[in-house]
Amino acid sequence: MSHSVSYLVTKQSLSSLLKQPIVHIFALLFVSLVLMSAYLGWSATSTVNAIYQDAVVYLKSTGGAIPDNPVTQQSSLGLLRNMTIYISLIGALASIVVGYQLIATDRKSGVVPLIGTRIGQSLSYLFGKVSALAVVLGAIILISALIAVITLALLPAIQVSISQWVKLAEFFACAYLYLLFFGFVSIASSATSRVESVALLIPVTLWLTFTFVFPELTSSIHSTAAINPISSLVAVPDSAFFHFTSALLGPMSLTESFKTLGAYFLEYQVSGEAFPRGALLSLAGLTTASGCVAAFGVLTLKLEKGEFDV
């Protein structure tokens, strides 16, 4: 019975999300930016390759030495590095909006007491909402991955090995965990906040903190530089303060952990760097913790009187 109830909650939640214009706007904006990122990487690579081919013709006619194609001297996955930024910015905001709408829509419409009367099971309600979040974010990530695959496939000048395809899949798996974190936080905030505005303010504030405040405190990265995908490669300044803050806040700096993983999996990190195990543990640990917080928030939501305070 509980499985069928969870399925009904999931189905109702997905149907409700599809009717929300704000969800459509953020999802479309995110996919558009990912598409633009892929196009810019494709365009830049195609231009460099075309210039090289013209140079080869000229050098052959003059008898000059022909250098290696610069396109083949760097990882083909590196042309997708801007996806890291779009996922950490617009993708996270889209996830926040989805998580917020999943709970807030029920609370604002006054149907939470009705839901509590009909199903009487907070656990089924939780599973239904989490399943809806996982499906929506999974669809967004799959679309982004498809765009990346098509972009790499359309570039005849580059070759993508099997190991690189695996790394690309691992990158999007990390991106999925990253989006789930903000979705879980948003669900928890929407379930526990008494005031509607606070329900959205908390996850947005947390996103701003992870994206702009923590990098500046741990590595002295200016806010405008935080939107650069290679900002995570900046070394910690040789200062006692930054060494302390890096050790203290580094494991909790979610966005920097994601960008570090992005640099590794998309192969635009410093050559030969080891796998950032700490960054993966940070991402996985914080996402798991946020899932537990979301579960606690929904399970403690009194379905019989769950509306926001006016």
Side-chain angles (χ1 to χ4, degrees), residues 226-281:
I227 60 175
N228 191 320
I230 65 172
S231 63
S232 62
L233 307 181
V234 176
V236 177
D238 190 14
S239 163
F241 172 79
F242 286 111
H243 281 292
F244 172 75
T245 56
S246 178
L248 179 65
L249 301 177
M252 296 183 289
S253 188
L254 181 74
T255 301
E256 285 303 291
S257 294
F258 172 63
K259 288 195 291 185
T260 299
L261 289 165
Y264 176 81
F265 287 125
L266 297 183
E267 299 182 339
Y268 60 89
Q269 86 284 18
V270 178
S271 179
E273 278 199 354
F275 173 69
R277 187 182 305 274
L280 181 60
L281 290 175

Side-chain angles (χ1 to χ4, degrees), residues 195-215:
V195 181
E196 181 184 350
S197 58
V198 175
L200 193 56
L201 181 63
I202 291 175
V204 170
T205 301
L206 194 60
W207 169 76
L208 288 171
T209 301
F210 280 135
T211 305
F212 299 107
V213 179
F214 274 22

